[in-house]
Amino acid sequence: YGDTTSRLLNHLATITEKPLSIVSLTGGVNYYLPNAESNTFKAKLNLYPAPLVLSSKNAAEALLNEQSLKQITRMISLSAMSVVGIGAMNNEATILNNGILSKDDFTYLKMKGAVGDLLTHFIDKDGNPIESDLDNRLISTPLSILKNLKNVIGVAGGRKKVKIIRAALKGGYLDALITDED
């Protein structure tokens, strides 16, 4: 999920000569992507048929055991390139504005030292995961798997994202970074 990541993937899918195969790393991304039937969008979408955050750990575990989700999970390790958004801890955060997290949850994570998130996994300034019950309710690729993927490209821009960009690099989650000059 994420506005910048969505724009990048949509742009790639309209300029590529060969169709792309896109595999989501999290649930809840379907509303960021255009109509897959479009002639200008050259991509095969492999999406988690699930929301990003569930109401309980049991619900998340049950869903992750479904065959359709297991198929997507298997595809992730085969990717030639992974593009991830980098979310900051500010009032303009996509995760907050889209209602994925409540303002209280967001404040709680800030108080625990979170400087931002990758795939809805929150990390501190040194790139260490922030422990919370949110992780147990996510349909999202774990950070341990993200670290082991080849060619992980982080996408973020603006001064408000400097802390989380540094943390993501320090944590070893990214192989490359696309950002603005600031």
Side-chain angles (χ1 to χ4, degrees):
Y1 74 89
D3 184 56
T4 305
T5 307
S6 175
R7 289 173 193 248
L8 174 68
L9 292 174
N10 282 296
H11 181 68
L12 284 174
T14 57
I15 66 167
T16 185
E17 292 179 16
K18 296 180 182 175
L20 301 172
S21 181
I22 297 175
V23 179
S24 64
L25 297 172
T26 69
V29 298
N30 54 331
Y31 59 92
Y32 282 104
L33 300 169
N35 180 346
E37 303 302 316
S38 166
N39 291 332
T40 59
F41 188 74
K42 299 181 203 108
K44 173 160 178 19
L45 304 177
N46 300 282
L47 305 177
Y48 276 117
L52 176 59
V53 181
L54 288 134
S55 59
S56 70
K57 178 181 178 177
N58 290 342
E61 287 174 351
L63 205 50
L64 287 167
N65 281 318
E66 290 295 324
Q67 193 58 36
S68 58
L69 273 75
K70 285 182 175 184
Q71 288 174 350
I72 299 297
T73 301
R74 279 195 303 265
M75 289 183 202
I76 290 170
S77 64
L78 303 174
S79 66
M81 172 178 62
S82 299
V83 179
V84 296
I86 301 171
M89 299 297 287
N90 60 45
N91 291 333
E92 294 86 44
T94 301
I95 199 166
L96 194 56
N97 289 334
N98 286 349
I100 295 167
L101 284 186
S102 71
K103 201 152 183 92
D104 289 344
D105 289 336
F106 203 67
T107 301
Y108 172 75
L109 289 161
K110 270 187 186 178
M111 291 173 66
K112 288 195 76 164
V115 295
D117 77 286
L118 298 164
L119 305 176
T120 320
H121 297 287
F122 288 83
I123 59 175
D124 68 16
K125 65 182 177 57
D126 296 316
N128 300 310
I130 298 288
E131 299 282 329
S132 78
D133 86 314
L134 175 64
D135 281 328
N136 297 326
R137 300 183 293 122
L138 286 177
I139 303 298
S140 179
T141 303
L143 290 177
S144 58
I145 291 175
L146 182 66
K147 259 188 176 179
N148 291 316
L149 293 176
K150 297 175 283 194
N151 203 14
V152 177
I153 301 167
V155 181
R159 291 188 185 273
K160 63 186 179 254
K161 295 208 176 176
V162 170
K163 285 181 184 176
I164 181 58
I165 290 171
R166 282 188 182 142
L169 292 169
K170 199 171 187 179
Y173 302 108
L174 309 176
D175 298 308
L177 174 67
I178 299 174
T179 191
D180 56 0
E181 187 175 350
D182 286 347

